[in-house]
Amino acid sequence: MGEGHDGGKVLNIKTADVKSAAPVFRKQGKKLSDALKLLVTTLDGYGEPWGDDKPGKEFGKKYSPNQKQLERAAGIAVLGLVSIHEALDDMADGHVDNDEAIAGIFTKEQQHGGDQGKGAK
């Protein structure tokens, strides 16, 4: 069911595609996490490295009061990417389980369906 190729289907989920896409989110979440750690540790180590010139002062004036909020927002983005990875894995697993359950229902119907017509008038 999940691997069908009928163009008329409303929902055509290919579990292999979902499974292969999931790790991309984990990988990108890791990259963003590493970049955030580097940014935080580097800036904390240098103090205010943007300089004393006019552009540096303008940047510092806008960045400093918002630094923690920006770091928190990037952290939320990291968690979001990781949770998308987990959700895609869960969705693919659930889709496979659902397909197996539906297939089981039809298999049971086929096994018992032939007996229902016998003796009935």
Side-chain angles (χ1 to χ4, degrees):
M1 190 178 248
E3 302 300 330
H5 301 286
D6 182 4
K9 287 186 179 179
V10 175
L11 186 59
N12 186 14
I13 297 172
K14 293 182 178 72
T15 54
D17 292 345
V18 174
K19 284 281 194 184
S20 69
V24 173
F25 289 93
R26 181 185 64 233
K27 182 179 179 182
Q28 296 307 320
K30 173 77 170 115
K31 285 183 175 182
L32 182 57
S33 177
D34 292 345
L36 178 59
K37 286 176 193 171
L38 180 62
L39 173 70
V40 171
T41 57
T42 301
L43 287 181
D44 285 349
Y46 288 134
E48 295 182 354
W50 37 84
D52 237 4
D53 59 355
K54 184 177 178 183
K57 287 180 181 179
E58 288 176 7
F59 175 83
K61 184 177 171 183
K62 292 179 182 177
Y63 178 76
S64 293
N66 297 307
Q67 179 181 0
K68 294 300 176 197
Q69 185 177 355
L70 290 167
E71 292 169 2
R72 204 169 20 258
I76 290 169
V78 168
L79 294 175
L81 289 170
V82 171
S83 70
I84 290 171
H85 166 245
E86 292 170 356
L88 287 175
D89 273 346
D90 289 347
M91 183 178 84
D93 292 343
H95 191 69
V96 169
D97 292 345
N98 187 50
D99 280 354
E100 290 171 357
I102 291 170
I105 291 169
F106 286 110
T107 300
K108 289 177 189 173
E109 285 295 319
Q110 289 174 355
Q111 290 172 353
H112 299 295
D115 295 337
Q116 291 176 354
K118 292 183 181 177
K121 292 188 181 185

